[in-house]
């Protein structure tokens, strides 16, 4: 008799727990401020692998914003989930599907690269989770009809021409050679540069993806025999570093120009400072070390190094979400509406988005960077517009 | 297809291809030696090479050299190269011996089937490469430049640089030395005897286990040399540096005739050159595909490789 009572009580208790759990998990309740608590933001990008440095800069920016928010709202914190895609479009969809099962997830800062964005954004779109990428620059990403997509930086349509214009008006070479790695990002950028330079391009080559090729003898030979004095490389820093080193070893003394994917300390490390010196790198960003407010000091205090590429933009993108949460946008639909109409001035830029999720054209900033003789990447000049 | 590019740069493509092929050739020796004696593909050989590349870079780092150091004067550089060569050979040789001791000998004692060896080989390869990946946080190891690339010889528009001569000459010297060792010394005779007929060789008093150890050691030493040359030519090794290169070296060994020392040299050099021609014709992103298409075509006409499988033949 007693035992049966316990069972009945247990059953009731269990049912209550389950019911309350379901109510919490639903995330659609219209209750008060407690909805804000325990919401999650996620970073998706490379934290290990050949392009890890780029991912770590962005992750650090995001984490700084979330930690600052949580320090202010200790009783009602936001959680950051970090998903390591290794930069691979093959790994991103599976990880994205895992992410969207989390009903507390309210926004994604990422995915880091264009290839993985192409693979994972449809999944976020289906789940209705707002996405702001601080670094994926392939132009076509905004034309796929994903309602949730936002880009806090300029796309390759802006970056490619800027690099092309810089080559034309600042370096003014007679012959330019263009190489890309065939990736969504690299090929897109190289095509944009080619269309600006037109007849100046004397030769082109495609190389294998990062990590799939280390010997670039044939490319080096082609560059040398083309007589080009400028080489544009569309791709990421690891290949670019090896290529620059081998070009210098083969005594090609021209200038290598690359996009933001090459703009990383890993490039100088692979090439060596002597070979890397003089390299020109475009970037749809202001130098992260010139960000406004206390960002640079805070970043240094937390990570003991200078903020890297897009760390400041990622910080801003995260703060857009955090402001949204603070303003009570605790459902995916409300958050999307909030981000669509946001007008936010952060440490790197001011952000409003067009209908397709692109940064408003009047807000686009592009800079050219240069590798100096110590191997440090220093801001050179704002990119010419024509 | 860009035939013009191939014809215009034929000389330079050949020279740079030979330089890359020299690395394949030395790397391929490890596969060929072990296969010749044990009929076993030692997949962990790619990690033996990887250990060598790391050992050389770490040696230079111990001397205070990094990627930003200026190229040292020739005599000093030769010293650094020699020390790194010895360290890389020892590290790679030792790794090969450890792999043999841990992954293969216990199975051999128990007469395990061939498939078991294949799996432990892959297992050993994964363990070593992942361990290195975790230890180095999967970062590339920046490498100093030690050889100033000056043009030494010039044929028409084709320049041959110091580095290219060092690469090919080292491969040829090492190969000649190994060939002499296998064909002229007592230990070498033991290797050939075991390759030819293990049972009879054992009956005749050859210590089979010792021969096997010796073969792994030799393969490791040669991989160490290949690793040093790789650091000189390309540098920036990381934990998976051996993987793609190992597949190429294995292909070179098969192309030349696996189990055949001179075949490994021929296969390696040929593969390096063919890759370059392919890259000139179709673009560098086809470099891997072209290499393997050529391999398949060559094997269709000569299934045992260009020079045949010879380590075990009575008159090699």
């Amino acid at each position: 008799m007693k035992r049966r009572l316990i069972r009945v009580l247990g059953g009731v208790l269990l049912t209550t727990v389950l019911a309350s759990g379901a109510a919490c998990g639903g995330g659609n309740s219209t209750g008060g401020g407690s909805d804000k608590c325990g919401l999650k933001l996620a970073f998706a990008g490379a934290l290990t692998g050949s392009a890890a440095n780029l991912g770590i800069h962005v992750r650090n920016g995001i984490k700084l914003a979330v930690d600052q928010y949580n320090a202010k709202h200790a009783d009602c914190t936001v959680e950051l989930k970090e998903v390591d895609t290794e930069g691979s479009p093959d790994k991103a969809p599976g990880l994205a599907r895992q992410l969207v099962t989390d009903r507390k997830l309210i926004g994604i800062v990422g995915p880091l690269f264009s290839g993985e964005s192409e693979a994972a954004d449809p999944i976020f779109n289906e789940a209705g989770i707002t996405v702001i990428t601080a670094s994926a620059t392939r132009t076509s990403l905004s034309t796929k009809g994903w309602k949730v997509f936002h880009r806090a930086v300029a796309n390759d349509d802006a970056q490619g021409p800027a690099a092309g214009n810089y080559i034309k008006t600042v370096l003014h070479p007679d012959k330019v050679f263009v190489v890309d790695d065939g990736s969504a990002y690299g090929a897109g950028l190289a095509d944009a540069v080619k269309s600006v330079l037109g007849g100046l391009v004397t030769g082109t080559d495609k190389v294998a993806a990062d990590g799939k090729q280390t010997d670039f003898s044939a490319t080096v030979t082609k560059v040398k025999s083309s007589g080009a004095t400028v080489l544009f490389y569309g791709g990421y820093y690891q290949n670019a570093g090896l290529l620059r080193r081998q070009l210098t070893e083969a005594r090609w003394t021209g200038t290598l120009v690359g996009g933001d994917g090459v703009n990383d300390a890993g490039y100088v490390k692979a090439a060596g400072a002597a070979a890397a010196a003089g390299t020109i790198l475009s970037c749809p960003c202001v130098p992260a070390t010139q960000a406004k407010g206390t960002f640079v000091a805070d970043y240094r205090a937390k990570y003991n190094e200078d903020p890297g590429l897009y760390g400041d933009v990622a910080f801003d993108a995260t703060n857009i979400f955090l402001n949204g949460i603070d303003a009570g946008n605790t459902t995916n639909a409300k958050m999307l509406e909030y981000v669509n109409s946001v007008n936010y001035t952060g440490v790197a830029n001011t952000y409003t988005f067009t209908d397709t999720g692109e940064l408003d054209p009047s807000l686009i900033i592009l800079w050219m960077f240069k590798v100096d003789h110590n191997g440090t990447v220093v801001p050179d000049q704002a990119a010419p517009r024509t | 297809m860009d035939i013009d590019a191939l014809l215009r740069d034929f000389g330079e493509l050949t020279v740079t291809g030979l330089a890359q092929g020299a690395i394949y050739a030395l790397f391929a020796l490890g596969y060929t030696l072990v296969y010749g004696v044990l009929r076993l593909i030692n997949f962990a050989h790619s990690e033996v090479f990887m250990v060598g590349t790391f050992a050389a870079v770490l040696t230079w780092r111990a001397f205070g050299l990094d990627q930003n150091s200026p190229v040292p004067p020739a005599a000093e550089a030769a010293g650094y190269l020699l020390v790194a060569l010895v360290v890389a050979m020892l590290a790679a040789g030792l790794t090969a011996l450890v792999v043999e001791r841990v992954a293969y000998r216990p199975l051999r004692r128990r007469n395990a089937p061939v498939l078991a060896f294949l799996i432990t080989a892959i297992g050993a390869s994964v363990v070593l490469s992942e361990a290195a990946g975790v230890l180095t946080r999967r970062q590339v190891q920046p490498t100093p430049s030690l050889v100033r690339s000056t043009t030494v010889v010039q044929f028409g528009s084709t320049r041959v640089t110091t580095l290219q001569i060092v690469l090919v000459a080292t491969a040829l010297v090492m190969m000649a030395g190994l060939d002499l060792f296998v064909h002229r010394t007592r230990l070498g005779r033991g290797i050939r005897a075991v390759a030819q007929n293990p049972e009879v060789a054992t009956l005749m008093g050859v210590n089979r286990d010792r021969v096997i150890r010796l073969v792994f050691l030799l393969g490791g030493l040669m991989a160490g040399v290949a690793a040093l040359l790789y650091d000189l030519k390309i540098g920036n090794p990381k934990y998976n540096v051996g993987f793609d290169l190992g597949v190429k070296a294995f292909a070179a060994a098969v192309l030349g005739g696996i189990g055949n020392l001179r075949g490994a040299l021929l296969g390696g050099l040929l593969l390096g050159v063919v890759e370059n021609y392919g890259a000139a014709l179709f673009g560098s992103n086809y470099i891997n595909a072209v290499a393997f298409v050529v391999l398949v075509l060559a094997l269709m006409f000569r299934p045992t490789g260009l020079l045949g499988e010879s380590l075990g033949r009575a008159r090699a």
Side-chain angles (χ1 to χ4, degrees):
Chain A
M1 194 60 190
K2 204 175 179 185
R3 188 175 289 170
R4 183 177 291 168
L5 185 68
I6 290 174
R7 267 192 206 163
V8 170
L9 279 176
V12 170
L13 204 65
L14 194 65
T15 318
T16 323
V17 169
L18 282 176
S20 63
C24 283
N28 288 323
S29 59
T30 49
S34 65
D35 274 4
K36 286 186 206 172
C37 307
L39 286 176
K40 291 175 187 171
L41 295 177
F43 160 78
L47 290 172
T48 60
S50 59
N53 292 3
L54 295 168
I56 289 166
H57 294 321
V58 168
R59 192 273 317 269
N60 285 354
I62 299 170
K63 198 163 182 325
L64 181 63
V66 170
D67 288 354
Q68 287 180 353
Y69 179 90
N70 286 343
K72 268 186 230 151
H73 303 77
D75 52 334
C76 181
T77 57
V78 167
E79 192 187 319
L80 173 63
K81 286 183 112 175
E82 297 174 12
V83 175
D84 180 13
T85 62
E86 297 169 42
S88 154
D90 305 333
K91 299 214 164 116
L95 295 165
R97 268 185 217 104
Q98 279 174 28
L99 269 180
V100 299
T101 57
D102 191 334
R103 305 297 292 269
K104 287 280 192 185
L105 185 69
I106 192 93
I108 310 273
V109 183
L112 189 67
F113 296 148
S114 298
E116 56 191 9
S117 293
E118 219 152 71
D121 278 347
I123 295 160
F124 298 134
N125 190 48
E126 201 169 299
I129 297 172
T130 311
V131 170
I132 306 180
T133 181
S135 52
T137 51
R138 182 168 223 202
T139 309
S140 62
L141 294 179
S142 64
T143 63
K144 310 266 181 188
W146 303 321
K147 298 187 302 290
V148 299
F149 178 80
H150 300 83
R151 170 154 42 204
V153 291
N155 64 33
D156 292 340
D157 270 358
Q159 200 186 156
N165 286 328
Y166 182 93
I167 291 172
K168 231 188 202 169
T169 58
V170 181
L171 302 174
H172 37 78
D174 295 329
K175 290 172 180 171
V176 180
F177 199 93
V178 180
V179 177
D180 71 68
D181 66 354
S183 68
Y185 161 78
L189 202 55
D191 288 344
V193 169
K194 278 183 225 165
S195 74
V196 171
L197 294 177
L200 288 181
V201 179
T202 51
T204 60
D205 196 10
K206 282 188 179 290
V207 295
D210 271 27
K212 285 281 147 206
Q213 189 182 354
T214 52
D215 171 33
F216 296 99
S217 319
T219 307
V220 169
T221 301
K222 287 185 199 181
V223 172
K224 276 169 64 189
S225 78
S226 75
T229 52
V230 171
L231 167 67
F232 182 84
Y233 180 73
Y236 298 103
Y237 64 86
Q238 195 183 326
N239 267 359
L242 291 173
L243 181 59
R244 178 68 253 190
R245 186 181 155 108
Q246 290 172 35
L247 283 165
T248 304
E249 217 109 90
R251 311 183 60 147
W252 184 75
T253 51
T255 307
L256 189 143
V257 181
D260 55 337
V262 183
N263 195 342
D264 186 275
Y267 166 72
V268 183
K269 254 192 194 168
T279 302
I280 302 290
L281 303 165
S282 73
C283 176
C285 58
V286 280
T289 47
Q290 293 185 4
K292 285 172 278 187
T294 57
F295 172 76
V296 177
D298 292 346
Y299 191 102
R300 279 192 193 128
K302 189 169 170 69
Y303 301 110
N304 217 0
E305 61 178 16
D306 278 341
L309 181 62
Y310 297 133
D312 50 347
V313 183
F315 178 81
D316 285 348
T318 313
N319 274 325
I320 293 176
F321 279 127
L322 293 170
N323 287 349
I325 293 171
D326 237 9
N329 301 294
T330 53
T331 66
N332 285 325
K334 276 188 176 171
M335 181 55 89
L336 180 58
E337 220 173 279
Y338 174 81
V339 174
N340 279 341
S341 60
V342 79
N343 184 346
Y344 172 74
T345 302
V347 298
N349 201 353
T350 297
Y351 305 87
T352 62
F353 298 104
T354 66
D355 290 348
T356 56
E358 291 283 11
L359 190 63
D360 191 276
S362 65
L363 298 171
I364 284 175
I365 305 176
L366 280 149
W367 267 71
M368 304 304 288
F369 290 68
K370 192 172 197 168
V371 180
D372 72 8
H373 286 285
N374 302 319
T376 319
V377 180
V378 293
D380 185 40
Q381 62 174 77
R385 292 208 172 236
T386 52
Chain B
M1 256 205 335
D2 189 356
I3 294 172
D4 281 349
L6 177 62
L7 295 179
R8 187 180 59 233
D9 302 324
F10 192 80
E12 178 148 348
L13 289 168
T14 309
V15 172
T16 55
L18 286 174
Q20 180 73 5
I23 297 174
Y24 293 154
L26 286 172
F27 198 163
L29 284 174
Y31 291 106
T32 266
L33 277 167
V34 170
Y35 182 86
V37 169
L38 281 178
R39 296 280 176 270
L40 161 75
I41 310 293
N42 177 18
F43 280 108
H45 191 56
S46 51
E47 273 53 51
V48 170
F49 171 83
M50 180 269 294
V51 169
T53 59
F54 277 46
V57 172
L58 292 178
T59 307
W60 290 327
R61 209 172 286 169
F63 281 114
L65 296 167
D66 67 8
Q67 72 278 12
N68 298 332
S69 316
V71 179
E76 203 183 327
Y80 292 137
L81 287 182
L82 214 60
V83 175
L85 178 68
V86 172
V87 174
M89 285 175 79
L90 286 178
L94 198 68
T95 311
L97 284 179
V98 169
V99 167
E100 193 272 331
R101 179 72 188 79
V102 175
Y104 302 133
R105 204 187 308 171
L107 292 181
R108 211 164 52 239
R109 287 267 159 79
R110 291 169 182 76
N111 280 325
V114 180
L115 205 56
F117 283 95
L118 195 69
I119 289 301
T120 49
I122 294 172
S125 164
V126 172
V127 166
L128 285 171
S129 130
E130 283 302 298
V134 170
L135 286 176
T136 60
R137 310 173 105 204
R138 304 191 195 272
Q139 298 285 322
V140 298
Q141 303 301 311
T143 316
S145 298
L146 289 175
V147 181
R148 193 182 297 279
S149 71
T150 38
T151 306
V152 179
V153 200
Q154 184 160 0
F155 309 99
S157 65
T158 307
R159 287 151 203 241
V160 184
T161 65
T162 341
L163 185 59
Q164 286 156 351
I165 290 176
V166 168
L167 284 162
V168 177
T170 311
L172 290 176
V173 168
M174 285 294 157
M175 188 67 67
L178 188 66
D179 205 59
L180 279 179
F181 179 82
V182 170
H183 290 110
R184 295 273 182 276
T185 65
R186 211 179 136 76
L187 287 170
R189 203 184 307 149
I191 293 177
R192 282 183 293 138
V194 174
Q196 195 180 347
N197 190 328
E199 279 79 24
V200 176
T202 313
L203 288 175
M204 303 300 261
V206 178
N207 183 340
R208 184 162 176 252
D209 270 342
R210 204 172 70 184
V211 165
I212 290 169
R213 272 202 301 275
L214 179 64
V215 159
F216 271 87
L217 178 67
L218 286 174
L221 293 177
M222 293 299 144
V225 181
L228 181 92
L229 297 183
Y230 180 87
D231 281 343
L232 282 181
K233 181 170 189 287
I234 291 165
N236 297 292
K238 58 175 188 163
Y239 71 102
N240 61 0
V241 63
F243 184 78
D244 280 351
L245 222 61
V247 174
K248 298 270 182 66
F250 179 59
V254 174
L255 183 63
I258 193 153
N260 183 328
L261 297 183
R262 290 167 204 177
L265 178 69
L266 180 68
L269 294 178
L270 207 61
L271 190 67
V273 171
V274 165
E275 272 188 352
N276 258 2
Y277 295 161
L281 278 177
F282 305 106
S284 295
N285 50 345
Y286 283 96
I287 195 164
N288 298 329
V290 167
F292 285 94
V293 169
V294 169
L295 177 71
V296 170
L297 288 178
L299 291 181
M300 273 162 63
F301 293 102
R302 287 195 66 95
T304 54
L306 298 175
L307 298 186
E309 300 177 8
S310 82
L311 197 60
R313 264 192 272 142
R315 297 204 158 272

